Amino acid sequence: NQVTRLPPTLFSTQTRISILRLSRNRLHTLPTHSLQSISTLRTIFCAHNHLTALPPEIITNRPALRTLEFSHNPIRSIPPGLFRNSSGLELLWLRNTHLTSLPPDVFQGLENLQDLDLSYTPFGDRNAGVAVGNGGHVPPPLLTLTAQHLRSITSTANLDTLEVTNVALAEDVAEVLTSRLTLNTLRLGWAGMDDTHPAVAVLCDALSDRPRHLQVQLCFRHHHSLMRYVIARPSISTTMRLLTATHTG
């Protein structure tokens, strides 16, 4: 589709829409005024557009909302309190955006969130990155996920899938990853992340104690300690399936 603009009153007479599909257009804005009155809206697919912000008019105070897919948009920020009273949200995909920071309590109120994807946010200065083979440098991600971000999810026990590839992890995230979250799928890392990162060490220590199947995908070059851990414990295959992927930068 090549839609660049929607009439402001497009949905004014539509009061019972439950699924809104607007992906793969060229939209810079949404007709928020007419969408605001639709209380039955449960799913919004709006990936692959030109949106630079998430519209609070159709997100905040919507307990019936279950799915938000705004990946592949040049979104630059998330306002504090955006997900306030949106407790029914189960899937939030913000993959490949222009986010470089998050409010500390950005996910406050998302007590039923099951799938969170923040992968592939912008890289910083390549010269300030981590040296890799052949004299190259991998730039650091500009977005950092902290323990406070994860703790702002009201009930982390419901979180099933967390995708944060190419997102930097603060050191305090390691404890939350293993003790506060009950995950089935975890995708993390960036090309400069290595064995010295606290998240890797804590994750290694916790793997054998996980009561549920855990699929871990490591998207960085240097993960020798985790590989050694898995090789030394063949029984780990009953609780974990390790997928390796090399990020080419």
Side-chain angles (χ1 to χ4, degrees):
N1 299 331
Q2 303 295 319
V3 179
T4 58
R5 182 179 177 276
L6 296 175
T9 59
L10 179 63
F11 301 104
S12 297
T13 60
Q14 308 295 321
T15 59
R16 299 186 62 83
I17 296 176
S18 60
I19 300 177
L20 182 64
R21 300 180 185 275
L22 296 172
S23 295
R24 297 188 181 279
N25 282 292
R26 297 184 178 182
L27 296 171
H28 290 265
T29 61
L30 297 177
T32 54
H33 181 72
S34 60
L35 285 171
Q36 194 171 6
S37 61
I38 305 176
S39 60
T40 56
L41 201 56
R42 293 171 58 89
T43 300
I44 301 176
F45 294 115
C46 205
H48 294 276
N49 277 288
H50 299 307
L51 301 172
T52 58
L54 292 171
E57 297 89 345
I58 62 174
I59 297 176
T60 306
N61 296 320
R62 285 189 176 271
L65 200 59
R66 296 292 181 268
T67 299
L68 275 181
E69 160 64 307
F70 277 83
S71 297
H72 301 279
N73 277 287
I75 297 168
R76 300 187 180 279
S77 63
I78 297 178
L82 179 68
F83 303 110
R84 185 178 61 252
N85 298 328
S86 298
S87 58
L89 196 64
E90 298 174 352
L91 183 148
L92 176 59
W93 284 1
L94 297 172
R95 185 184 185 92
N96 196 8
T97 65
H98 290 183
L99 288 172
T100 58
S101 64
L102 296 171
D105 298 323
V106 59
F107 305 119
Q108 184 106 37
L110 296 182
E111 57 189 41
N112 290 299
L113 190 63
Q114 298 175 19
D115 192 330
L116 174 61
D117 190 347
L118 297 171
S119 298
Y120 300 106
T121 52
F123 281 119
D125 183 0
R126 180 171 293 273
N127 294 324
V130 176
V132 295
N134 300 323
H137 275 74
V138 176
L142 292 178
L143 180 64
T144 298
L145 187 72
T146 69
Q148 187 172 0
H149 291 141
L150 290 178
R151 291 192 184 108
S152 71
I153 302 173
T154 306
S155 177
T156 53
N158 289 322
L159 198 60
D160 179 86
T161 300
L162 177 63
E163 302 191 29
V164 286
T165 302
N166 287 17
V167 175
L169 300 181
E171 293 189 5
D172 59 0
V173 164
E175 177 269 331
V176 182
L177 282 177
T178 56
S179 66
R180 291 285 301 275
L181 302 181
T182 304
L183 294 173
N184 279 328
T185 302
L186 173 64
R187 297 188 178 97
L188 78 162
W190 56 288
M193 188 177 181
D194 60 18
D195 293 347
T196 64
H197 195 285
V200 176
V202 175
L203 189 60
C204 286
D205 291 339
L207 284 176
S208 61
D209 298 326
R210 296 307 298 261
R212 300 171 64 183
H213 175 88
L214 175 64
Q215 174 182 281
V216 180
Q217 182 171 358
L218 300 169
C219 297
F220 49 86
R221 297 177 187 275
H222 308 292
H223 46 267
H224 307 298
S225 65
L226 193 54
M227 288 297 291
R228 285 197 300 270
Y229 182 91
V230 175
I231 292 172
R233 294 165 175 79
S235 62
I236 199 74
S237 60
T238 61
T239 58
M240 169 191 170
R241 179 159 56 95
L242 178 66
L243 304 178
T244 60
T246 301
H247 185 269
T248 59

